[in-house]
Amino acid sequence: MNVILTRPRYHSHLITPPLGMGYVCAYMRKNGIATTIIDGLKENIGNNLLAARCARADSVGIFCMSAYLHAVIDLTARLKQLGKIVCIGGPHATVMPRQTLEVTGADYAIVGEGEQSLTELVLALGRGENGSAIAGVLGKGQSTLTARPFFKSLDELPFPAWDQINPRTYPKAPHGGVVRKFPVAPVISTRGCPFSCSFCASPRIWRNTIRFRSAPNVVDEIEMLVRDFSVREIHFEDDNFTLKEEHAVLICEEILRRKLNICWALPNGIRVDAVAPPLLRLMRRAGCYSVAFGIESGSQKILDNIGKKTDLARMRAAITMAARAGLITQAFIIFGLPGETAETIKETMDFVMAAPLHKAQFLLLDVLPGSALWDELGPFDISYFNKRSYQEAGFIPQGLTAEYLAQARSRAFRRFHLRPRQLFTLLRLAKIGQVKTIARRLKDFSMLDFGKG
């Protein structure tokens, strides 16, 4: 069978190669299935044209995040009109497989790691079978789902199909906004997270586990990206790159041993209790120049409410250690978490303004399907997914309003970034070719909307 993997265009200021589809494509090709990726987000094409470009496929796999569920619903309807078999995978299908099938009208939901499940399904369909007994696959009208075990060794997976998600063809809209060098390629060295933060869907998706690729396997991929795709910067998109110190150390040492001329960053965030000065200095020598921390809040009460299992002193120490190691430091902040008040927002701003941070991302809480907060704060109907993820409040704490939260975020961006050190960092990294992208980010986050506080 001929398969196309795709994602629709949606409102996003991050347009990066989709690793999930890249891995699935490579695995299917390895098993003899003709597979192509059409990235509607990168191509900037609407669903009408995207569906037409999928017309040659026997079946279409759509990667779905909750943030663009409605775009997936529309695309699925168009594909079904063309008589296509439609399979939906990704985070939303993993945590809400039955709802995904009901609202989209797709034929199958792929739950969990999709490489093997989708491959087995496509091969079964090619034999004229319906695939109902395949682990990790839920078909329309199917009553039970058999869980798919995770891959025991991530090294057995082929590298993503980089020829299909060529980093050189993507716009200058990377994770983190401004970076040191282009082209940028995302890489993951782990899958999963053992922690249980209540705002995050990872505990449900990865079942509180983490698995590690070997350092040679990771650096083999980096070396290939440098050689074959002229990549100059790597972004490790792991949830926990430094969780096991030995893992991070071995990757750094392998990069140094091979004398790779590459810079890299950790824009997805790491835990503050998983760094130490020797490791940070080694990362710097191996080419790391920027690291983000998942701070979430500067209020200990809020941190305790969301099960962060850390404290403000440890956060402050980690940021300071990274800055002293010569790294650009960034914090992720979420306004509107349970228990948020005007006072806790002030505490958060006091914390980030005093910490040696170069960058900060201020977000509004998006209650994610599969997270503990989804179950605690719901129920939510499908209209919830009409809002812009992390840019419109998904929950309003008692005593606050949506308008107040939006104004607080706008004020926070300006108060933090309109300072000499922070402005200099952004201007030093920004590239001429990013003017349009940067302007869009400024608009999205209301940084220049002085009418909002």
Side-chain angles (χ1 to χ4, degrees):
M1 297 183 72
N2 182 18
V3 178
I4 288 177
L5 304 177
T6 189
R7 65 176 171 180
R9 181 179 64 187
Y10 63 100
H11 183 87
S12 178
H13 50 267
L14 303 182
I15 308 174
T16 61
L19 285 178
M21 288 196 291
Y23 271 107
V24 172
C25 181
Y27 194 89
M28 295 179 75
R29 284 174 159 187
K30 184 180 178 180
N31 285 272
I33 300 169
T35 310
T36 306
I37 294 175
I38 301 177
D39 187 351
L41 180 62
K42 190 257 294 192
E43 300 289 344
N44 193 28
I45 55 177
N47 280 349
N48 189 43
L49 180 55
L50 182 56
R53 289 183 59 179
C54 292
R56 69 181 186 276
D58 298 302
S59 60
V60 178
I62 304 175
F63 183 82
C64 180
M65 296 178 67
S66 302
Y68 54 87
L69 175 62
H70 285 280
V72 172
I73 293 171
D74 177 77
L75 177 59
T76 303
R78 295 173 188 273
L79 292 170
K80 293 306 297 178
Q81 288 176 354
L82 297 174
K84 303 304 172 186
I85 297 171
V86 179
C87 312
I88 299 181
H92 192 86
T94 293
V95 300
M96 304 186 77
R98 286 185 172 80
Q99 184 251 30
T100 299
L101 292 178
E102 289 170 3
V103 301
T104 64
D107 299 282
Y108 298 96
I110 309 300
V111 179
E113 290 181 316
E115 292 91 348
Q116 192 171 356
S117 299
L118 187 57
T119 296
E120 291 182 8
L121 174 61
V122 169
L123 292 174
L125 294 173
R127 296 191 297 266
E129 303 168 6
N130 65 15
S132 60
I134 297 173
V137 175
L138 184 70
K140 191 185 304 182
Q142 189 176 323
S143 59
T144 59
L145 170 69
T146 302
R148 165 76 63 182
F150 290 144
F151 287 102
K152 291 183 179 179
S153 171
L154 296 180
D155 283 9
E156 68 186 73
L157 290 169
F159 297 154
W162 284 107
D163 64 303
Q164 295 289 306
I165 51 172
N166 188 335
R168 291 174 295 191
T169 67
Y170 275 73
K172 290 181 170 61
H175 199 170
V178 289
V179 301
R180 182 164 285 176
K181 297 178 181 179
F182 287 99
V184 178
V187 169
I188 55 169
S189 70
T190 63
R191 287 187 180 183
C193 176
F195 296 96
S196 298
C197 298
S198 64
F199 62 90
C200 183
S202 181
R204 172 87 172 272
I205 293 171
W206 298 114
R207 306 171 205 162
N208 291 104
T209 64
I210 184 169
R211 289 158 295 148
F212 301 83
R213 294 169 64 186
S214 70
N217 182 259
V218 173
V219 183
D220 281 348
E221 182 179 5
I222 295 173
E223 196 166 38
M224 178 273 295
L225 287 166
V226 172
R227 181 187 65 243
D228 297 344
F229 296 93
S230 304
V231 166
R232 302 176 68 204
E233 179 165 326
I234 296 293
H235 284 178
F236 284 104
E237 297 290 354
D238 306 50
D239 290 329
N240 289 282
F241 180 80
T242 60
L243 184 63
K244 186 168 75 171
E245 183 177 8
E246 181 187 17
H247 172 75
V249 166
L250 289 174
I251 289 175
C252 290
E253 290 178 343
E254 190 71 11
I255 291 172
L256 289 168
R257 187 184 69 80
R258 300 192 196 189
K259 296 181 172 62
L260 293 182
N261 181 23
I262 194 77
C263 66
W264 52 278
L266 300 172
N268 203 39
I270 58 174
R271 285 188 63 91
V272 297
D273 49 11
V275 292
L279 174 59
L280 292 165
R281 289 194 295 267
L282 176 61
M283 288 164 51
R284 184 76 180 89
R285 285 198 296 116
C288 182
Y289 74 93
S290 178
V291 58
F293 293 100
I295 300 301
E296 326 311 349
S297 176
S299 164
Q300 190 62 53
K301 180 185 77 171
I302 300 297
L303 297 178
D304 294 340
N305 285 349
I306 61 176
K308 191 68 179 177
K309 295 184 178 179
T310 191
D311 57 61
L312 295 174
R314 198 172 287 181
M315 289 181 171
R316 190 175 295 107
I319 296 168
T320 301
M321 286 188 289
R324 287 176 177 171
L327 300 172
I328 293 172
T329 56
Q330 179 178 359
F332 289 119
I333 301 297
I334 302 175
F335 286 158
L337 289 160
E340 189 85 275
T341 64
E343 181 58 31
T344 61
I345 289 176
K346 180 182 183 302
E347 290 175 20
T348 296
M349 287 310 300
D350 289 344
F351 179 88
V352 297
M353 294 296 287
L357 288 162
H358 299 83
K359 298 163 61 181
Q361 181 80 311
F362 298 94
L363 307 168
L364 299 180
L365 175 64
D366 191 4
V367 186
L368 301 176
S371 69
L373 287 185
W374 180 267
D375 297 327
E376 177 186 330
L377 302 176
F380 299 89
D381 61 31
I382 194 172
S383 66
Y384 178 84
F385 304 110
N386 284 319
K387 70 176 188 61
R388 289 187 177 180
S389 181
Y390 294 110
Q391 296 178 43
E392 298 177 59
F395 165 72
I396 310 299
Q398 186 174 2
L400 300 181
T401 65
E403 182 181 18
Y404 181 88
L405 289 171
Q407 290 176 348
R409 188 190 66 159
S410 182
R411 286 195 301 269
F413 266 113
R414 292 197 299 275
R415 183 182 173 197
F416 180 87
H417 285 287
L418 296 182
R419 295 182 292 166
R421 181 184 187 186
Q422 287 66 31
L423 274 175
F424 176 74
T425 298
L426 297 176
L427 292 172
R428 178 165 56 94
L429 292 174
K431 309 293 186 296
I432 294 296
Q434 289 190 276
V435 171
K436 185 176 180 180
T437 299
I438 292 172
R440 189 178 189 185
R441 289 175 68 92
L442 291 175
K443 180 181 179 181
D444 282 349
F445 295 108
S446 305
M447 275 192 69
L448 301 181
D449 190 351
F450 290 90
K452 290 188 176 181

